[in-house]
Amino acid sequence: MARTRATVIKGRERPLWREWAAALDRPLTSYYLILGTAVLLIALGLVMVLSSTMVKSISETGSSFSLFQKQLGAAVIGLPLMILASHMPQQVFRLVGYPAMIVSAALLLLTVFQGVEINGATRWLDIGGLVVQPSEPAKLAFVLWGAGILARKDELSELTEWRHLLFPLLPGCGLLVLLVLLGSNLSTALVFLVTFLGLLWVVGAPGKLFVAMFGLVLGLALIAIAIEPYRMARVTTLFDPMADPQGAGMQSLHGRYALGTGGIFGVGIGASREKWGFLPFAESDFVFAIIGEEFGLIGTLLLLALFGVLGYAGLRVAFRVKEPFPRLAAFAIVTWIMGQTMINVGAVIGLLPVTGVPLPLVSYGGSSLITTMVALGVLLSLAKTEPQAQRALAARGPGWAQRALSWLGLENIANPVTGRGGTPSSGRAATARGPRTPGPRGGGTTAKYDSGPVPAGSRSRRNRRR
């Protein structure tokens, strides 16, 4: 008999919701949720880039596949990088945080003086004929660097004072924001600031400090908007796009036209009218509007559901891992991707001013796609550090990445827990950090007792009876 709403186990019916709960409790559920949603979003992004760029590609190059081929090439580059990152131990990410931050700051500084200007913004850098956007990999660099800084301070119990929470995290974020703003890229600066606030939140910053930093971020955003006339025009046309239908309000108006034309089920894939030169940047900033036009309300809700599952899986990792660095890095990656998604979607549907931030994994742009895929690879690797996942992977034996690092003589990196090659759960931790102390949001961060006698009052009832 086909199973519809319940299954029979030992003569009793098991409700369907219990089956879902059991499936979510499996050791590698977070890993497969992240992997599945990432693959679906990348595939959908390639389809939408092909659909939204065909007209523009023909007018610019004579081929309807020229822009799609670039995006496909970026996906081909990003896929092995994502797989490689998913097999790396967390110690590798901690080691590359500082070098990645230094290189990112240098590239952003070089972009300020020798960047490629497109549509009045200097956000791109020409490296050997390859045009890249350094602010995209800088997001991942800031995540790894910031998580590493706070994790080390947490391990040393230095997060009880506000100065340890802010330094050097705040100056590092401020440097990246300043360099990005010099290239007229306020939307990316906001993503950095949102990620900074996310790190402060998960590490357990006091409420007064968090509110102060939130006010600082809001004040900086208002100042950046006020000093640029075109940004102020976008804000004023947010509530009345018809006030300037051929200027500042044009993109917002045609984005809403696309969403309204799609209705419930859409006009069909490839049948968008707005992509025929009416909606500016339809393949990047406003690809969500094209999705709404071609797939309708149902398509946009399914897309948002995929991002919701991705965010849930990332937060699941952040709350289940025991060590500070995986928790901080996972939460920061989720904050970055979900925050950028909300900014992009909010601008398209008219809740926020029009910005130049792309929709992660879906919008056209090789730098954004590759960086986000690598970030998801990092998240996949962190998902393996969940306690249940570690035990399940330990039963399988060391993976190829751990064997390769051990073969190169990097046993400490291959297994930072035991200091030897093999699986993370094959031995005890090398050090004990004493009694558990109150940890930041998302769980405690210090081990309770690793070795030595059990203090009085900590024995179980059975031992006390004996």
Side-chain angles (χ1 to χ4, degrees), residues 300-325:
T300 57
L301 291 179
L302 290 176
L303 174 65
L304 295 178
L306 286 176
F307 277 110
V309 173
L310 180 61
Y312 162 77
L315 291 177
R316 176 189 170 98
V317 173
F319 281 97
R320 285 182 170 234
V321 294
K322 299 300 182 182
E323 299 180 27
F325 177 79

Side-chain angles (χ1 to χ4, degrees), residues 376-396:
L376 290 178
V378 175
L379 196 57
L380 288 170
S381 175
L382 299 179
K384 298 178 183 179
T385 62
E386 293 183 11
Q388 293 183 2
Q390 285 186 338
R391 289 191 291 268
L393 293 173
R396 301 180 182 180

